[in-house]
Amino acid sequence: MDSSFVANSQETLARDTSSVSEFWQEKYRNEAGKNWDKFYNRNKTNFFKDRHWTDREFEELRPGHVFSESKPVLLELGCGVGNFIWPLIERNKDIRVYACDFSPRAVNFVKANENYTEERCTAFVCDITQDRLADTIPPHSVDIVSSIYVLSALPPEKQAAAISNIVETLKPGGRVLLRDYGLYDLAQLRFKAGHKLDDNLYVRQDGTLSYYFSTERLHELFARHGGLVEQENKYVFKKLVNAKKGIDSVRVFVQARFQAPLDAAGDNVLAPANAESIDRDYDIVIDDPTVSLSNE
């Protein structure tokens, strides 16, 4: 990251010296799933847009990729109401999807969708920080795990347990594809006093959590703790310009690929991509609700 951007961001964050009481700290951390269930009760299927951009950034999702040679199995974490699933299964006719969320209402919306068929998709309720995924999915049977704006909804002390849970489902050579909120993102800098629970962890007005990742934190979770091979791990920048007001703002995301070793020696299916953090502009249509900053 640019040193002046980091310095300015750190100065902004340092101004917030407020604290949240121990009671509310524990309540927010323990009721993350409950608050997302309330979110879907309020917003139904109307808040998210379908994510048509994912196979543009992650070639593993495209038909004809090496993972598509024998009908790939994908696990989507935090499936919400299915905005990742529906474009994917329409374009990739061979893929088989497991989709989980810790919101029962979200899972019910997925099952009620006209595109849902049990031959292509199995949706189930699961808190990945404590419910064993392998109770629903055969261990070491998944080619691809997608985690799109999901781990940020978990408090940091529960993230490692989620990674261990995920790793148990991966085939040798299987991959985790991740996109999430990055350190010093505009949304983080705009939180008002009284929303910070911990370093890089905040609570929105609706009670849902938002954690902002560094690439180092992702490496710690997936490579050091999870034993996966880092193939890509970088910052992605999206510059927002308000010409009328003369204001430039920056959204910061993390994007990563981690791969399960092919064998005990740690050989990979493909040579790892350059894992060094990369700064670049990224032109996509942002389709996650928190990106609009409306919940903060």
Side-chain angles (χ1 to χ4, degrees):
M1 289 188 184
D2 178 76
S3 59
S4 61
F5 172 74
V6 171
N8 290 336
S9 298
Q10 290 176 340
E11 183 180 348
T12 298
L13 295 178
R15 297 190 194 113
D16 183 4
T17 58
S18 61
S19 61
V20 176
S21 71
E22 184 176 344
F23 170 81
W24 284 105
Q25 283 266 1
E26 184 175 355
K27 186 175 178 65
Y28 288 134
R29 292 171 188 263
N30 291 336
E31 296 185 357
K34 181 179 179 180
N35 288 326
W36 274 107
D37 204 49
K38 291 179 179 178
F39 171 90
Y40 288 112
N41 185 45
R42 288 191 304 271
N43 295 289
K44 306 297 188 285
T45 61
N46 303 316
F47 204 84
F48 293 88
K49 297 177 182 178
D50 284 349
R51 289 172 172 161
H52 293 280
W53 56 268
T54 52
D55 64 350
R56 212 166 52 232
E57 282 302 303
F58 297 111
E59 61 183 18
E60 293 88 343
L61 302 175
R62 302 173 195 164
H65 190 270
V66 63
F67 285 118
S68 297
E69 292 179 357
S70 58
K71 296 188 180 300
V73 175
L74 178 141
L75 166 61
E76 189 197 7
L77 307 174
C79 63
V81 299
N83 302 98
F84 171 86
I85 301 170
W86 311 132
L88 177 65
I89 63 175
E90 180 181 355
R91 287 196 289 267
N92 191 332
K93 304 299 183 183
D94 292 327
I95 204 162
R96 175 72 169 84
V97 175
Y98 288 94
C100 69
D101 201 288
F102 56 12
S103 164
R105 284 189 175 91
V107 171
N108 286 337
F109 282 129
V110 170
K111 290 182 175 181
N113 190 286
E114 62 182 2
N115 296 308
Y116 183 82
T117 63
E118 292 187 356
E119 292 76 18
R120 298 291 310 279
C121 183
T122 299
F124 61 103
V125 177
C126 181
D127 180 347
I128 61 173
T129 67
Q130 60 185 18
D131 302 329
R132 187 171 180 245
L133 286 163
D135 288 341
T136 301
I137 306 168
H140 309 299
S141 66
V142 172
D143 296 286
I144 303 168
V145 174
S146 61
S147 178
I148 311 296
Y149 303 113
V150 173
L151 293 183
S152 53
L154 308 178
E157 68 272 12
K158 295 183 179 183
Q159 290 168 359
I163 303 309
S164 297
N165 202 0
I166 294 164
V167 168
E168 188 182 12
T169 70
L170 281 170
K171 287 180 181 178
R175 290 184 184 175
V176 177
L177 310 179
L178 180 142
R179 181 72 180 267
D180 223 316
Y181 302 112
L183 188 62
Y184 309 136
D185 178 42
L186 176 63
Q188 180 183 15
L189 301 180
R190 284 192 175 181
F191 272 109
K192 296 180 180 178
H195 288 263
K196 183 178 179 180
L197 303 183
D198 205 340
D199 288 345
N200 305 322
L201 178 68
Y202 296 78
V203 60
R204 304 187 185 94
Q205 290 181 349
D206 61 3
T208 59
L209 302 181
S210 187
Y211 182 84
Y212 296 86
F213 284 95
S214 66
T215 54
E216 291 81 7
R217 174 63 175 168
L218 289 180
H219 181 82
E220 176 186 349
L221 286 170
F222 285 95
R224 293 180 185 169
H225 173 76
L228 303 182
V229 177
E230 182 178 278
Q231 295 230 321
E232 178 185 44
N233 186 12
K234 65 189 179 186
Y235 293 107
V236 174
F237 292 80
K238 171 70 175 179
K239 188 174 183 180
L240 305 179
V241 179
N242 187 324
K244 189 174 182 180
K245 295 184 177 180
I247 299 174
D248 288 358
S249 303
V250 178
R251 298 306 312 266
V252 184
F253 306 98
V254 285
Q255 185 163 304
R257 288 176 171 88
F258 294 92
Q259 184 171 28
L262 191 60
D263 54 33
D267 293 335
N268 300 318
V269 173
L270 299 173
N274 186 352
E276 182 181 354
S277 300
I278 301 171
D279 295 357
R280 68 179 176 91
D281 288 336
Y282 184 65
D283 187 19
I284 63 168
V285 177
I286 303 298
D287 54 12
D288 185 271
T290 57
V291 173
S292 69
L293 308 179
S294 59
N295 289 335
E296 294 147 351

